[in-house]
Amino acid sequence: MKNIILFGPPGSGKGTQAEKLIQEFKLTHISTGIILREEMQEQTLLGKEARHFIEKGQLVPDHIVIGMVKNIICGKKNTRGFLYDGFPRTYKQAEELETMLKEINLQIDKVFFLIVDEENLIKRLLLRGASSGRADDADESVIRARMDEYRLKTEPIRIFFEKCGNLINIDGMQSIDVVYKSIVAKM
Ligand code: AP5
Ligand code: MG
């Protein structure tokens, strides 16, 4: 059972590539962002708590997202593997994922790091914000807050992945199809 991570800043193309990869490789998509947005839409307790952070561009507390991911991994026995998109995003999340997988004799197999410069990321997110209805895309100050969170809490775990020897750098500035082919070539 494969465990593949799509890693990168907000707007780097994780969700776009995930949609294509899950079809091709029949993997279970774990996007903590999508799950949290569904919870917000349904106005669940978890959704109400998450909204407070998401609308400010801040990360949702670790215990919430770790619990969500644990539930999916434990509940899904019939799958070829998992494709993580937007998780892990902190050291704690990365360590917990590794531990969770070890307990069931699995490991993180590959981490694809999508590299895109910040100017382009902001352009992409503002463009999408015009139609996505995502509260965290509509306002440039919230997008910048997401970038700050990424730089402070998420980017540093790249070293964690590098040490594990499974980090693969991908030029995320190329077209969607070229990025996809670059990932598939290293799957
Ligand atoms: P999440 O939903 O994960 O959002 P994000 O990572 O901030 O960024 P996006 O999903 O917007 O970007 P993406 O990399 O998926 O790019 P996409 O393919 O969409 O998280 C949202 C919030 O939830 C967080 O801020 C946080 O509050 C909370 N959260 C989620 N997970 C959490 C966790 N683990 N811990 C704590 N909190 C968590 O593409 C973006 C745009 O670019 C699209 O319009 C797309 O069409 C376009 N595009 C994609 N690829 C290309 C390309 N190659 N060329 C040109 N345009 C492209
Ligand atoms: Mg996404």
Side-chain angles (χ1 to χ4, degrees):
M1 205 190 275
K2 290 273 173 224
N3 285 278
I4 311 285
I5 296 175
L6 289 181
F7 182 70
S12 55
K14 303 182 297 292
T16 304
Q17 296 300 327
E19 290 303 334
K20 293 160 79 74
L21 292 163
I22 53 165
Q23 301 285 337
E24 177 73 25
F25 295 94
K26 307 279 177 282
L27 299 171
T28 299
H29 187 191
I30 301 187
S31 163
T32 41
I34 291 177
I35 302 168
L36 289 167
R37 279 188 289 282
E38 283 168 358
E39 296 277 348
M40 288 199 298
Q41 190 127 29
E42 288 161 23
Q43 300 193 20
T44 61
L45 216 61
L46 194 156
K48 283 179 188 162
E49 196 180 348
R51 182 181 293 280
H52 176 72
F53 299 94
I54 291 176
E55 288 189 346
K56 289 190 201 138
Q58 295 169 354
L59 291 186
V60 171
D62 283 336
H63 70 274
I64 297 182
V65 282
I66 290 167
M68 281 167 21
V69 172
K70 218 174 236 176
N71 281 342
I72 302 174
I73 296 178
C74 296
K76 190 98 185 165
K77 304 286 179 224
N78 265 336
T79 180
R80 288 198 190 165
F82 297 100
L83 183 71
Y84 304 87
D85 152 13
F87 181 91
R89 265 172 138 107
T90 62
Y91 251 110
K92 173 88 179 150
Q93 292 177 23
E95 282 169 353
E96 288 278 338
L97 177 64
E98 210 183 30
T99 308
M100 244 185 267
L101 293 177
K102 240 181 220 160
E103 280 167 9
I104 46 175
N105 291 321
L106 295 173
Q107 59 181 13
I108 298 169
D109 295 292
K110 280 174 188 165
V111 182
F112 291 98
F113 176 37
L114 301 179
I115 304 168
V116 179
D117 67 46
E118 195 162 313
E119 194 188 330
N120 263 288
L121 296 171
I122 291 175
K123 266 193 211 151
R124 283 184 189 181
L125 295 180
L126 281 172
L127 188 71
R128 184 181 62 187
S131 60
S132 69
R134 268 181 64 166
D136 58 348
D137 279 352
D139 186 329
E140 187 166 340
S141 69
V142 177
I143 293 177
R144 290 202 181 271
R146 285 161 66 193
M147 296 298 164
D148 291 344
E149 284 282 83
Y150 172 78
R151 252 183 271 108
L152 195 70
K153 298 174 183 166
T154 308
E155 210 278 336
I157 62 171
R158 201 167 46 87
I159 292 154
F160 176 94
F161 296 134
E162 236 159 24
K163 272 193 202 144
C164 302
N166 49 18
L167 187 79
I168 299 163
N169 289 333
I170 300 285
D171 176 2
M173 306 269 282
Q174 309 168 97
S175 72
I176 291 172
D177 280 347
V178 174
V179 173
Y180 178 66
K181 282 185 189 132
S182 314
I183 297 175
V184 170
K186 304 260 168 82
M187 279 287 278

